């Protein structure tokens, strides 16, 4: 038995994988990875795969990036981790100063957690608690139809993708879903805005916050909408004293063509939630940025209000912060956002070829996210799985969301690698 086979067997004896029906692995082999470099992942037999989904949307500058490696190694020899209550360290101070500068004006305080879902929980609790400290009991959250914000109980409660949510419905807190713009047009953005304002007119005294994924709903089948919707929501939130939580866990750090998607509408949310790309895909870290105004609502004598009591053991881990600082160095030094524009335009050209296929319903793109929506298949046909398997056989990791085939590669992907990634997907779709 070769090493690939040995590892597959050892794995299945002891592991339970995320987002997986484990019985599928009776026929669908696992892929043990020996090493990663650039956009490539390589198994123990020397087979290489282009990571077309940035390993669940986290990797920005390739696997084993030499610069990030060097910075994490430096940190490793100095301080790996220290409790963040009562103590601090230089990497987290530097990171926070940089995030405050980089994010929309008015976001001045950073509160850390260690994954996207936990940061969503932080934002929800902080919003509720801030109103409470103002003497208001606003206990209802609003989110958009078709949204995804993670899978812990609170985050799942504000999500709206049936696949993840319906089993746990009896456990979840009640939330309200308002319309997401139906497509990328400004007209649909306006219509959805009207619906949100109507909801606020009726219920604003109970509404703590609206949480949304700016521009692209990731796990909601890569649904995209016009930035004007963000402008409207910002205005309505201010008018009715409802917080705006921008969940940029997926879209933050350049994915949409802006460093942060809120820039597309020139808005400042009350809470900005970041994770995934923050460490370049190296280590778990997340952060909620908020305003000095919200911060001030908690700043008082010990007995006046309760402090914000939310803590995770690994909050603000120093190694993760050093990876995040290295990631920001690369953005700063290598003009990434500009360079991505050319790559994104190149991918859009290639995307147009898919549109002509009979089994393709539409294509769409926002920044470094390119999408092909397939048409005419039933869920039980598991069409995405077929594309995934074809991709693996031909050296590309694609992981369609049902009938949505998408490309979200690390930003360091070359034009030749884009060709290989998208041509392989094209072949897979023509062979369905
Ligand atoms: C928009 C959004 N929010 C939150 C999350 C949850 O992040 P995590 O998987 O790190 O818990 C995700 C994960 O995909 C996401 O896409």
């Amino acid at each position: 038995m070769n090493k690939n086979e040995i590892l597959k067997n050892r794995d299945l004896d002891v592991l339970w994988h995320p987002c997986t029906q484990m019985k599928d692995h009776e026929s669908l082999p696992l892929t043990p990875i020996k090493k990663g470099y650039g956009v490539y992942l390589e198994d123990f037999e020397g087979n290489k795969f282009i990571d077309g989904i940035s390993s669940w949307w986290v990797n920005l500058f390739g696997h084993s990036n030499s610069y990030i490696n060097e910075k994490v190694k430096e940190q490793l020899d100095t301080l790996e981790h220290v409790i963040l209550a009562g103590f601090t360290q230089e990497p987290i101070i530097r990171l926070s100063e940089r995030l405050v500068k980089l994010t929309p004006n008015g976001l001045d305080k950073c509160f850390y957690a260690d994954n996207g879902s936990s940061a969503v929980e932080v934002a929800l609790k902080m919003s509720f608690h801030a109103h409470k400290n103002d003497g208001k009991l606003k206990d209802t959250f609003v989110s958009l139809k078709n949204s995804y914000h993670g899978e812990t109980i609170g985050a799942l409660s504000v999500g709206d993708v049936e696949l993840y949510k319906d089993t746990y419905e009896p456990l979840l807190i009640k939330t309200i879903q308002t319309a997401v713009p139906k497509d990328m047009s400004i007209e649909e953005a306006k219509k959805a805005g009207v619906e949100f304002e109507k909801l606020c007119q009726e219920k604003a005294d109970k509404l703590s916050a609206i949480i949304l994924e700016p521009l692209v709903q990731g796990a909601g089948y890569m649904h995209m909408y016009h930035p004007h919707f963000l402008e409207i929501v910002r205005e309505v939130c201010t008018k009715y004293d409802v917080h705006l939580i921008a969940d940029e866990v997926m879209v933050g750090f350049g994915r949409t063509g802006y460093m942060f998607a809120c820039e597309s509408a020139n808005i400042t949310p009350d809470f900005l939630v970041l994770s995934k790309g923050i460490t370049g895909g190296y280590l778990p870290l997340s952060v909620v940025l908020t305003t000095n105004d919200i911060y001030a609502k908690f700043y008082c004598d010990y007995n006046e209000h309760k402090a914000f009591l939310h803590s995770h053991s690994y909050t603000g881990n120093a190694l993760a912060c050093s990876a995040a600082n290295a990631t920001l160095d690369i953005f700063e030094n290598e003009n990434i956002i500009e360079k991505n524009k050319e790559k994104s335009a190149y991918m859009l050209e290639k995307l147009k070829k898919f549109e002509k296929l009979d089994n393709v319903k539409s294509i769409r793109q926002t920044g470094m996210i390119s999408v092909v929506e397939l048409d005419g298949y039933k869920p039980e046909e598991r069409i995405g799985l077929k594309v995934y398997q074809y991709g693996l056989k031909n050296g590309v990791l694609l992981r369609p969301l049902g009938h949505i085939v998408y490309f979200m590669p690390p930003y360091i992907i070359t034009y030749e690698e884009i060709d290989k990634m998208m041509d392989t997907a094209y072949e897979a779709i023509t062979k369905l």
Side-chain angles (χ1 to χ4, degrees):
M1 229 190 287
N2 66 37
K3 184 105 189 232
N4 267 354
E5 296 306 319
I6 293 168
L7 286 178
K8 282 182 216 174
N9 292 337
R10 282 175 57 195
D11 176 294
L12 292 175
D13 273 348
V14 288
L15 264 96
W16 188 345
H17 288 262
C19 211
T20 301
Q21 169 47 262
M22 289 303 292
K23 193 164 190 292
D24 279 353
H25 284 309
E26 287 181 8
S27 55
L28 177 72
L30 277 161
T31 309
I33 292 301
K34 182 182 179 190
K35 58 184 176 183
Y37 45 92
V39 289
Y40 292 102
L41 296 164
E42 188 176 315
D43 72 8
F44 287 83
E45 293 296 288
N47 300 307
K48 296 185 337 182
F49 311 94
I50 293 179
D51 188 349
I53 58 157
S54 298
S55 284
W56 256 343
W57 319 340
V58 298
N59 192 294
L60 303 188
F61 300 123
H63 295 278
S64 294
N65 178 289
S66 57
Y67 183 75
I68 305 177
N69 284 1
E70 184 193 315
K71 292 293 167 185
V72 173
K73 281 179 198 160
E74 264 174 32
Q75 185 59 41
L76 198 52
D77 284 333
T78 317
L79 173 72
E80 79 301 338
H81 182 70
V82 61
I83 177 175
L84 196 65
F87 287 78
T88 193
Q89 14 101 358
E90 204 169 349
I92 202 165
I93 297 171
R94 180 154 177 257
L95 176 61
S96 308
E97 288 169 345
R98 298 172 89 182
L99 289 174
V100 164
K101 265 204 194 127
L102 275 172
T103 52
N105 271 342
L107 295 170
D108 291 317
K109 288 288 183 292
C110 299
F111 190 100
Y112 287 86
D114 47 26
N115 63 75
S117 305
S118 299
V120 166
E121 304 285 342
V122 167
L124 297 175
K125 285 173 66 182
M126 216 180 242
S127 165
F128 169 80
H129 195 160
H131 288 302
K132 188 166 188 274
N133 287 354
D134 263 350
K136 295 177 202 147
L137 185 68
K138 285 173 158 257
D139 58 3
T140 306
F141 293 103
V142 183
S143 62
L144 300 186
K145 288 188 176 134
N146 190 49
S147 58
Y148 177 91
H149 298 287
E151 291 170 48
T152 52
I153 298 287
L156 202 54
S157 299
V158 286
D160 187 44
V161 179
E162 229 182 80
L163 176 68
Y164 305 101
K165 192 168 180 177
D166 59 353
T167 309
Y168 304 102
E169 198 74 62
L171 300 178
L172 305 180
I173 56 170
K174 293 268 171 292
T175 61
I176 298 175
Q177 276 66 56
T178 187
V180 62
K182 284 207 180 75
D183 56 36
M184 294 170 87
S185 70
I186 194 157
E187 292 74 28
E188 289 299 331
K190 286 180 185 163
K191 273 194 218 161
V194 168
E195 185 171 325
F196 177 54
E197 174 140 31
K198 221 168 120 213
L199 176 67
C200 288
Q201 277 163 357
E202 287 163 14
K203 297 210 164 84
D205 59 328
K206 283 284 160 209
L207 303 181
S208 187
I210 178 167
I211 180 166
L212 50 76
E213 298 155 89
L215 298 189
V216 186
Q217 294 185 311
Y221 306 97
M222 297 292 166
H223 182 72
M224 298 177 182
Y225 60 85
H226 194 283
H228 186 56
F229 182 63
L230 300 174
E231 277 176 65
I232 304 175
V233 172
R234 175 66 278 177
E235 268 176 38
V236 173
C237 282
T238 306
K239 185 166 160 196
Y240 291 91
D241 186 28
V242 175
H243 295 142
L244 170 54
I245 304 173
D247 175 354
E248 295 215 22
V249 166
M250 182 193 82
V251 296
F253 300 99
R255 260 305 153 195
T256 65
Y258 300 88
M259 188 62 172
F260 300 104
C262 283
E263 291 167 24
S264 67
N266 203 13
I267 58 153
T268 301
D270 300 284
F271 302 93
L272 176 66
V273 185
L274 303 172
S275 187
K276 289 200 187 271
I278 192 171
T279 62
Y282 265 62
L283 287 155
L285 185 74
S286 60
V287 61
V288 177
L289 283 108
T290 191
T291 61
N292 275 333
D293 191 39
I294 297 281
Y295 178 76
K297 294 183 198 297
F298 293 80
Y299 197 86
C300 56
D301 290 331
Y302 188 79
N303 288 324
E304 193 185 336
H305 291 307
K306 257 198 183 155
F308 186 61
L309 294 183
H310 187 105
S311 41
H312 297 289
S313 315
Y314 281 98
T315 291
N317 174 266
L319 292 173
C321 290
S322 70
N325 276 315
T327 300
L328 292 184
D329 291 344
I330 298 175
F331 272 108
E332 253 173 51
N333 298 336
E334 297 185 25
N335 206 14
I336 298 298
I337 300 288
E338 273 312 301
K339 281 190 199 152
N340 278 356
K341 282 188 185 142
E342 290 159 32
K343 283 186 187 163
S344 161
Y346 185 74
M347 284 199 268
L348 183 60
E349 273 313 304
K350 290 196 71 85
L351 212 50
K352 287 178 184 158
K353 195 171 142 200
F354 289 80
E355 210 174 11
K356 299 188 186 110
L357 294 173
D358 287 343
N359 54 352
V360 169
K361 184 173 172 193
S362 61
I363 55 163
R364 55 184 174 271
Q365 189 195 56
T366 299
M368 290 294 280
I369 308 171
S370 301
V371 174
V372 178
E373 179 161 355
L374 302 178
D375 197 18
Y377 297 101
K378 298 195 191 86
E380 54 277 20
E381 289 179 78
R382 300 188 77 184
I383 209 69
L385 189 62
K386 289 179 188 157
V387 174
Y388 171 74
Q389 284 174 303
Y390 187 90
L392 285 186
K393 269 204 198 104
N394 292 280
V396 184
L397 166 53
L398 303 161
R399 204 171 190 278
L401 293 156
H403 61 300
I404 303 294
V405 180
Y406 68 91
F407 307 99
M408 234 165 112
Y411 303 158
I412 45 117
I413 193 166
T414 63
Y415 289 91
E416 296 75 50
E417 289 158 352
I418 291 174
D419 286 346
K420 163 84 179 161
M421 172 181 74
M422 294 182 76
D423 293 348
T424 303
Y426 185 85
E427 282 160 26
I429 292 170
T430 52
K431 287 184 183 352
L432 284 173

